[in-house]
Amino acid sequence: MKRQGVGATMLALALAAPALAGSYRVQELKLAEGASVSPHAVNAHGAVAGGVGQAHGGDVAMFTGAGPEAVAAVGRAPASDYAEAMAINDQGQVAGNMNGATALTAFVWDRARGLRTLAPLAGDTGSAAAGINRSGWVVGTSMGAQGIRAVVWKSGTAESLGAVPGAAISSAIAINDSGQIAGWAEIGGVKHAVLWSAAGEAQDLGTLAGENTEAVAINAQGEIAGLAEKNGEPHAFRWSAAHGFQELGTLAGGSHSQASGINGAGQIVGSSGSKLGLRAFVWTGAAMVDLNTLVPNDANLVLMSAVAINDRGQILALGSRNHDLANDRATKLDQHAHAGATRAFLLTPQ
């Protein structure tokens, strides 16, 4: 295990400390007027990967939030009518998905070599990417007559990950720079969180409360964040080898929550129901905090979901301006949000 130096340890402690009001600077990721935005990931340099286009699909884009001129279109195959980036590493490589001729097709893109498709396992017809690490390993699923199976692409070639005993379906969602992979497998109709080693060996982590449990993010230490159903409602969780599952709770007045990202300091971000409706949160190890209380007071902005966090503590979030509180509880996190048009924001610690 790599040891942290004093400076890295102090940084981790500082990032893990509870933030105060106004702790984040908010930067809206500017896009063409009327375009939809579906951000999914942010790397250590603050570059964001996601989808930009119209209501039912569009070109993939990678953007940094410096303005429209910073939007870098990844594009899509000529025959495809949809493409979306799902992950980005610190080298600027992007992994995502687009419509192929007959099925969904995974791809990887970088500025030097452009867009390359990622073929599924032999005999399968479709593929989908979900995560990418510093080495350019991409994780996701291969789909076909043999079912849906978790895979990792190394140098563009698909390799099946270790099977989970009793699982009919499996999916890899996130990968860290050590090659550890987080995802889920369906056993007896119930999803179990799964951790695959860098060698591809599967560890069934089980469930939090006996219901569907999905791992969706993993940090350098192998700590996992995700969501688990409890009485039919999703609840955010953290998992570590030392402590197992830890439920993170909800914001005041909420009955559900879900985690979507975790960084090296153990900070977790996601969304939670609250007495005010759906709100973005950050969990610092002590408590779940509404991100709206940690940004400059702006009556026209409501942050509804945090989708990713990097090791600098920057948070990628979705929100709306001129928010209609009367429709808040019916908010959908897309360009048709009932409470207002959904926009993307990058929050940077002050």
Side-chain angles (χ1 to χ4, degrees):
M1 179 177 177
K2 183 178 178 180
R3 297 180 59 187
Q4 287 185 321
V6 173
T9 301
M10 293 298 290
L11 174 61
L13 290 172
L15 287 174
L20 302 174
S23 293
Y24 294 93
R25 182 176 71 255
V26 180
Q27 182 181 23
E28 183 172 349
L29 301 178
K30 296 291 186 181
L31 302 171
E33 189 67 27
S36 64
V37 53
S38 302
H40 292 292
V42 58
N43 71 9
H45 308 297
V48 173
V52 178
Q54 299 308 308
H56 300 291
D59 289 341
V60 178
M62 176 179 67
F63 46 91
T64 64
E69 67 281 1
V71 177
V74 174
R76 62 186 183 226
S80 176
D81 63 355
Y82 157 82
E84 191 166 10
M86 304 304 295
I88 182 171
N89 65 14
D90 293 345
Q91 285 66 47
Q93 292 176 298
V94 173
N97 306 304
M98 63 183 175
N99 282 344
T102 58
L104 195 66
T105 300
F107 70 80
V108 64
W109 174 93
D110 59 49
R111 291 181 185 275
R113 291 175 291 176
L115 186 148
R116 286 122 35 224
T117 57
L118 298 173
L121 295 169
D124 283 353
T125 55
S127 57
I132 187 170
N133 72 359
R134 186 180 184 88
S135 299
W137 293 8
V138 176
V139 295
T141 54
S142 179
M143 301 162 282
Q146 299 183 63
I148 300 174
R149 295 173 287 172
V151 296
V152 57
W153 285 272
K154 299 178 182 178
S155 300
T157 301
E159 298 179 12
S160 181
L161 291 173
V164 179
I169 298 172
S170 62
S171 180
I173 305 298
I175 181 170
N176 65 17
D177 288 340
S178 299
Q180 291 176 298
I181 298 167
W184 55 266
E186 186 177 297
I187 302 172
V190 177
K191 291 180 179 179
H192 289 215
V194 177
L195 173 64
W196 284 274
S197 70
E201 298 171 344
Q203 179 184 357
D204 181 358
L205 304 181
T207 67
L208 177 63
E211 300 179 59
N212 290 326
T213 301
E214 302 177 39
V216 300
I218 186 169
N219 68 10
Q221 289 75 41
E223 298 169 331
I224 289 171
L227 61 147
E229 290 182 2
K230 187 176 181 181
N231 298 321
E233 292 264 32
H235 288 256
F237 73 79
R238 171 184 179 270
W239 180 93
S240 68
H243 303 290
F245 285 104
Q246 177 183 2
E247 187 179 339
L248 305 187
T250 68
L251 295 174
S255 62
H256 59 87
S257 63
Q258 61 184 67
S260 53
I262 184 171
N263 67 6
Q267 290 178 303
I268 294 173
V269 296
S271 61
S272 172
S274 76
K275 61 184 178 182
L276 298 174
L278 192 65
R279 294 293 183 268
F281 76 77
V282 59
W283 183 84
T284 61
M288 183 181 289
V289 182
D290 186 341
L291 271 174
N292 291 279
T293 67
L294 305 180
V295 299
N297 186 26
D298 184 345
N300 293 323
L301 171 64
V302 171
L303 299 173
M304 297 175 289
S305 176
V307 300
I309 183 169
N310 65 18
D311 285 346
R312 293 171 56 195
Q314 290 180 300
I315 297 172
L316 180 61
L318 288 170
S320 66
R321 295 192 181 278
N322 302 313
H323 202 78
D324 182 358
L325 293 175
N327 291 323
D328 204 10
R329 295 186 183 279
T331 297
K332 293 181 180 179
L333 295 181
D334 59 20
Q335 64 275 9
H336 300 299
H338 292 169
T342 303
R343 302 173 186 270
F345 300 89
L346 186 64
L347 279 56
T348 300
Q350 298 279 27

